[in-house]
Amino acid sequence: MALTMFEKIWRRHVVVDRPDGYTLLYIDRHLMHDGSAAGFARLRARNLKLRRPDRSFGTPDHYVSTGGRGLAAITDGHHRGIVAAMARNHADHGFTVFDIGDERQGIAHVVGPEQGITQPGLTMVCGDSHTSTHGALGALAFGVGSSEVTHVMATQCLWQRKPKAMRITVDGALGFGVTAKDVILAIIARIGAGGAIGHVIEYAGSAIRGLSIEGRLTLCNMSIEAGGRAGMVAPDDTTFAYLNGRPFAPKGAEWGAEWDRAMAFWRGLPSDDGAIFDRDVTLDGAAIAPMVTWGTSPEDALPVTARIPDPDTAPDAAKREGMARALAYMGLTPGTKLEEVAVDRVFIGSCTNSRIEDLRAAAAVVRGRKVVVPSWAVAGSGLVKRQAEAEGLDRVFLDAGFEWREPGCSMCVGMNGDLGTAGQRIASTSNRNFVGRQGRGVRTHLLSPTMAAAAAVTGRFTDVRKLATA
Amino acid sequence: MDPFTTLAAIGLPIDLPNVDTDQIIPARFLGRPREEQAPALFHDMRRTPDGALRPDFPLNQEGFRGAGIIVAERNFACGSSRENAVTVMVDNGFRAFIAPSFGDIFFGNCFQNGALPVVLPAERCAALRSALHAKPGARIAIDLAAQTVTGPDGAVDRFEIDPFRKDCLLRGVDAVTLTLGYEADIAAFEARQREELTWL
C-alpha cells in the first residue's frame, strides 16, 4: 500500500494503539526553551525524573535580552528567574543545554536544525507552536502545551489521535524577489488561518523542492498559522547536504557506517507514488508575488502591488464587519495602495526569518543605503550572529543605521520587553500579526526579510523587485 | 485533575472568528505566577488602554456575570501553544467552550486541565450566540456522558468526542499517571529503536 511520509513516520513511533483510536506516540527529541521551566516545576512537584536527558535539548529564547548578553541584561526579576532556571534544571536533570552565554544559544527552532538535532523521520515536540518549523527536514514536529511538555519529560511519549494528511503542491518557478515567506503567506491567504486544522501538511512540488533548507524552515514554521498540526517537506539531497557534519547529526564515514545507515532510513521516508492525502491543494508558484499582510490574521495577506481591500466587497456581513474591525485597528483606508503605506519601524528576526540566508538577503538590499525608520536585525542564534559578522553583514546593517542585536525571540512576541508602542506600524519578518502581538495597539505587517529591508530604507512598503533593479 | 461530568452555566458569546491565544491572554502576562494571571483574561479586548472596562465587551456586562461556558466562532484560540490560555479560562470559571472549530493545541490543552472543547456546526454556534445576546444570563447545559448541549431554548445538540478523551475527563484521569502504567511498552519500544536508529 502506498503511504504518505507522515504515515510512515507515525507508524514507526507507535508505542501503544488503543482500540478507541488513541495512540501513545514516542517522541524522539524534545526541545526545551526558557518557558519549559514550568514543565520542570511540575515534574519536581510529582517527584518524577526526566526520562531521556539524552533526547532533551534546552536553550533559552523567549525571555532573553537582545540588548545585552547574559542574565544581568534581563532587567525584569521574574524573567531573569525563568531564564536562570535552565541552568538549575540542567544541573538536576542532565540534558544538553545551550544556555545563555553559550555561543550556540538561540531561538529553539533555529538551534535545532543548526545543531543537527532535527533530522528526517524523527518525532519532535517543543512547548511552542512554531515547532512545526522542524518538518523542513522531514521530521514530524509539533507544538504542545506545558502539561504535555511535562508528559514528554516524564514518559518520552504523548497521547495522540492521528491527524489527517494534507498535501500542498506548489509547482513552477518562483519569480525574482519571491521567497519562501511569500509562498507560505500566499498559501495561508488561500486556505485561511484555520484551513489546515486537524491536518499535517506535506509541502510538495517543484517550487518547494527548489527551496533551500532555510527556505523550507520558513515555510514549515508558519504551518501553524494555517491551523496545521505540523508541516513537512520530504528529505532529499538538499536535506542530506545540510545535515552532513552538524554536531548532533549521524557521523560521516570516518565514524563507520552510521551516516550510511541513517541515509538508508531517510531515503525511504518520502511519500510513495500514489499515496492518498485527505486533502490536496495546489498553487502556481510563478503567480506568487512578494506579499504583505494588511490585517490582523496571517490570512490577510496580499501581493505588495495590491490595494487595501474594501469591506464592502466582502461576501457576507460577518466578513465585512471583521475586515472593517481589522482595518480600524490597523489604521488603514480601503483602496490605498500598499506601496503608499508608511511604516514606523522594521524588525528582521524570529524563528521564521532570522537565519543566515535571511540576513544575507536583507543585507543585500540594505547595502549602500540608509534606514529612514528605526530598524532592528536580530540573528536567530549566536552561531548565526557569528557567521553574519564573519561575512561583514553586521557592518552592512550597522552602516545603514540598523541595530544589530543579541539572539532571541525578541519582537516577534515581545515577552522579553522588545515591544512597539501603541499606533506604531511595524514591518516584521515574524509570523503573527495578531492584535497586540508586538505590543498593545501596535500594527504588525508580516513580510519577507528582503521586503522588510526595502521598507527600512524607503520608510514604506516597497516592492523589493523595483529596488533591486533600480 | 477535577472530573468533568455535567455543566450548566451562563453562556458568554464571543462573536469574532480566529480569536487567538494572544487575545485570550497577552504574552506580557505569561511570565507572572498563575494566581496573578487571572485578571488578564481577554485583557486587551476587555479594557481600554487606560485600564477601564469596555462596556461593549460581553464579559464586562452584568447579565453575563458568573458565566461558565463560552460560545465562540471558527478557529477559536488559534495561535500560540501557551497553556495559560486554558488555565486563565479555568481560573475565571470557564470550563467549556463551544465553537465550529478550534486551534489544535488549545483543543488538546483543554483536556489536560479538566476543560471541555465542544465542536458544533457553525450555524448552531451562531444561533446559540444570538440567543445569549438576546437574553444575557441565559444558561447552557452540557452533559458529557450523553454528549449533549442543551441551549437556552431547550434545543438539544449532540456532539462528538473521542472516547479516550471523554473517559479521561469523566474520571478526571491524569495522563502522566495513565502513561506510566505503560512503562513496559515504552521500554520495549526504546529497545527496538536502539537497534534500528543506532545514531540517535
Side-chain angles (χ1 to χ4, degrees), chain B residues 3-152:
Chain B
F4 187 108
T5 51
T6 59
L7 176 64
I10 292 172
L12 179 78
I14 303 279
D15 295 328
L16 302 173
N18 297 325
V19 170
D20 55 77
T21 55
D22 280 83
Q23 304 315 305
I24 295 172
I25 179 166
R28 61 185 184 275
F29 297 104
L30 300 181
R32 306 289 128 184
R34 177 166 170 171
E35 55 275 15
E36 289 179 23
Q37 291 178 7
L41 175 65
F42 289 121
H43 189 281
D44 295 353
M45 296 173 85
R46 196 177 177 187
R47 292 176 182 276
T48 62
D50 58 12
L53 293 172
R54 293 180 198 271
D56 59 340
F57 192 64
L59 189 60
N60 296 333
Q61 294 165 7
E62 187 56 34
F64 294 108
R65 185 180 294 272
I69 297 172
I70 285 177
V71 185
E73 243 280 29
R74 68 184 151 81
N75 202 22
F76 182 67
C78 60
S80 117
S81 63
R82 63 191 67 167
E83 196 159 313
N84 316 66
V86 178
T87 56
V88 75
M89 292 277 203
V90 170
D91 292 348
N92 278 276
F94 293 99
R95 283 190 72 197
F97 314 99
I98 301 171
S101 57
F102 290 88
D104 277 337
I105 305 178
F106 177 89
F107 191 84
N109 284 342
C110 282
F111 298 106
Q112 312 296 328
N113 293 279
L116 174 66
V118 172
V119 175
L120 286 184
E123 60 273 17
R124 281 304 298 153
C125 293
L128 284 171
R129 290 196 307 273
S130 297
L132 296 172
H133 280 299
K135 200 178 160 201
R139 295 170 86 81
I140 292 173
I142 298 174
D143 184 334
L144 177 56
Q147 297 179 214
T148 57
V149 172
T150 306

Side-chain angles (χ1 to χ4, degrees), chain A residues 17-198:
Chain A
D17 258 334
R18 287 168 55 108
D20 58 19
Y22 258 75
T23 296
L24 189 63
L25 196 72
Y26 198 77
I27 304 302
D28 292 324
R29 287 189 158 166
H30 183 190
L31 286 176
M32 303 177 297
H33 56 85
D34 33 15
S36 308
F40 279 114
R42 292 180 202 217
L43 207 61
R44 197 158 33 242
R46 302 183 58 156
N47 208 18
L48 291 165
K49 287 197 308 194
L50 180 66
R51 181 182 178 89
R52 294 298 299 266
D54 59 324
R55 300 291 187 88
S56 308
F57 304 83
T59 190
D61 53 12
H62 285 72
Y63 289 104
V64 301
S65 169
T66 62
R69 292 192 73 80
L71 275 178
I74 305 171
T75 50
D76 182 294
H78 276 297
H79 296 172
R80 197 164 52 245
I82 293 169
V83 174
M86 182 67 77
R88 197 170 62 245
N89 288 319
H90 166 68
D92 289 349
H93 296 280
F95 53 90
T96 299
V97 68
F98 312 110
D99 207 352
I100 197 161
D102 186 320
E103 199 175 33
R104 300 169 296 174
Q105 175 266 332
I107 306 173
H109 309 313
V110 173
V111 171
E114 181 174 82
Q115 290 294 324
I117 295 163
T118 308
Q119 294 174 19
L122 302 188
T123 49
M124 296 179 68
V125 298
C126 175
D128 187 275
S129 58
H130 291 107
T131 308
S132 59
T133 308
H134 306 272
L137 287 101
L140 173 61
F142 49 90
V144 295
S146 58
S147 291
E148 293 195 319
V149 163
T150 308
H151 192 281
V152 173
M153 286 173 170
T155 69
Q156 204 62 28
C157 296
L158 273 183
W159 290 103
Q160 294 281 301
R161 170 171 288 281
K162 188 160 73 177
K164 293 180 176 152
M166 177 175 188
R167 179 170 52 193
I168 298 179
T169 305
V170 188
D171 276 319
L174 299 181
F176 170 72
V178 178
T179 68
K181 183 64 162 282
D182 305 303
V183 174
I184 188 61
L185 286 173
I187 288 171
I188 299 167
R190 162 79 79 83
I191 69 172
I197 286 178

Side-chain angles (χ1 to χ4, degrees), chain A residues 168 170 174 178-193 203 219 222 226 281-293 298-303 446:
Chain A
I168 298 179
V170 188
L174 299 181
V178 178
T179 68
K181 183 64 162 282
D182 305 303
V183 174
I184 188 61
L185 286 173
I187 288 171
I188 299 167
R190 162 79 79 83
I191 69 172
Y203 299 98
L219 181 80
M222 287 187 70
V281 174
T282 59
L283 273 81
D284 175 9
I288 299 172
M291 303 288 282
V292 181
T293 61
E299 71 184 23
D300 300 335
L302 282 171
L446 306 177

